[in-house]
């Protein structure tokens, strides 16, 4: 099993991500599912831009143990806006939607084990693709699928499987990047300083 997925419980992480997004005001105004999936897509396109610019993270040893005063500038200097950071943002946005679904419907299934057991099927498909842009196109295509054909939960499942494969192909520890970005996001202002 990949180091990207051996610890994270997506159901529990989704609840944490969604609580943080609510605290930051991202759910103050009601929006459609398409709105939130579009925010996922914008993060995926930012990953493409980071890849085009060759921006890779060099995570400092022990960054997790730094106090915020040292963590924030270190994160910004070595991790922010890199491919790993943007893939983490994409996963965080998906987990936020998942957390919103869980909050509305307590009997929402935990997809953690299914993702861990089945993401390799997506990996087999990715062997045929050579370009990062092709991988991202497939991700965006799946996220844009007609909601009658692909439910939000299925889009989240497929999206997480795809992101794990992308990170694995690039040698990125996606789980670590998600945890680091969650910590960084907790220090940011309401709506991360944006309009929505």
């Amino acid at each position: 099993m990949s180091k990207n997925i051996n610890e994270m419980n997506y159901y529990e992480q989704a609840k944490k991500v969604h609580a943080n997004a609510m605290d930051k005001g991202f759910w103050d105004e009601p929006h459609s599912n398409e709105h939130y999936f579009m925010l996922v897509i914008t993060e995926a396109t930012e990953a493409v831009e980071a890849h085009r610019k060759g921006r890779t993270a060099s995570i400092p040893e022990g960054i997790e143990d730094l106090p915020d005063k040292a963590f924030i500038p270190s994160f910004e200097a070595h991790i922010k806006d890199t491919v790993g950071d943007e893939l983490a943002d994409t996963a965080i946005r998906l987990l936020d939607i998942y957390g919103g679904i869980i909050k509305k419907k307590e009997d929402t299934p935990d997809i953690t084990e299914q993702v861990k057991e089945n993401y390799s099927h997506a990996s087999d498909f990715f062997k045929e693709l050579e370009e990062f842009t092709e991988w991202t196109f497939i991700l965006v295509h799946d996220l844009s699928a007609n909601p009658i054909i692909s439910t939000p939960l299925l889009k989240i499942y497929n999206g997480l499987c795809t992101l794990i494969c992308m990170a694995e192909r690039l040698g990125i520890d996606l789980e670590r990047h998600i945890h680091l970005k969650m910590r960084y996001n907790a220090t940011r202002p309401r709506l991360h300083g944006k309009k929505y």
Side-chain angles (χ1 to χ4, degrees):
M1 186 178 293
S2 165
K3 68 179 178 177
N4 289 319
I5 59 170
N6 51 350
E7 297 296 329
M8 186 170 289
N9 179 300
Y10 294 111
Y11 188 87
E12 295 303 323
Q13 189 68 29
K15 292 193 285 188
K16 291 176 189 171
V17 168
H18 185 64
N20 186 58
M22 288 185 67
D23 287 345
K24 296 295 182 181
F26 287 105
W27 291 81
D28 286 357
E29 306 259 336
H31 295 288
S32 66
N33 284 336
E34 289 76 14
H35 169 88
Y36 290 106
F37 279 110
M38 188 64 220
L39 295 179
V40 178
I41 291 168
T42 62
E43 299 297 351
T45 59
E46 288 177 10
V48 171
E49 283 303 304
H51 190 263
R52 290 178 71 200
K53 294 174 182 174
R55 293 189 48 89
T56 57
S58 57
I59 301 176
E61 189 66 37
I63 189 172
E64 289 90 348
D65 300 323
L66 295 175
D68 282 351
K69 189 173 183 178
F71 171 82
I72 294 167
S74 183
F75 181 91
E76 290 173 345
H78 301 285
I79 301 168
K80 191 166 178 353
D81 301 328
T82 63
V83 177
D85 184 45
E86 299 300 352
L87 291 179
D89 278 339
T90 308
I92 288 167
R93 288 285 187 188
L94 281 173
L95 291 169
D96 180 25
I97 298 169
Y98 185 26
I101 294 169
I102 293 166
K103 186 172 183 184
K104 286 180 187 172
K105 193 174 179 195
E106 289 185 15
D107 64 344
T108 299
D110 182 346
I111 62 172
T112 301
E113 290 309 312
Q114 288 85 356
V115 170
K116 290 179 181 183
E117 290 170 10
N118 298 315
Y119 86 95
S120 61
H121 297 303
S123 184
D124 291 340
F125 175 74
F126 276 101
K127 289 176 185 170
E128 305 299 319
L129 303 176
E130 298 295 325
E131 307 272 342
F132 185 80
T133 50
E134 293 174 313
W135 309 341
T136 310
F137 178 83
I138 296 300
L139 173 64
V140 170
H141 178 271
D142 288 349
L143 294 174
S144 304
N146 186 318
I148 295 170
I149 299 167
S150 184
T151 65
L153 193 56
L154 183 57
K155 290 179 183 185
I156 293 162
Y157 167 80
N158 287 334
L160 289 172
C161 287
T162 301
L163 286 168
I164 292 166
C165 291
M166 292 171 77
E168 217 172 56
R169 286 281 296 267
L170 295 169
I172 292 169
D173 185 342
L174 184 60
E175 183 177 317
R176 188 177 188 197
H177 273 279
I178 290 169
H179 288 300
L180 289 168
K181 192 55 177 271
M182 285 293 299
R183 180 176 174 193
Y184 180 75
N185 283 346
T187 71
R188 298 171 79 180
R190 177 181 162 76
L191 296 172
H192 299 174
K194 299 174 184 174
K195 184 177 177 181
Y196 54 85

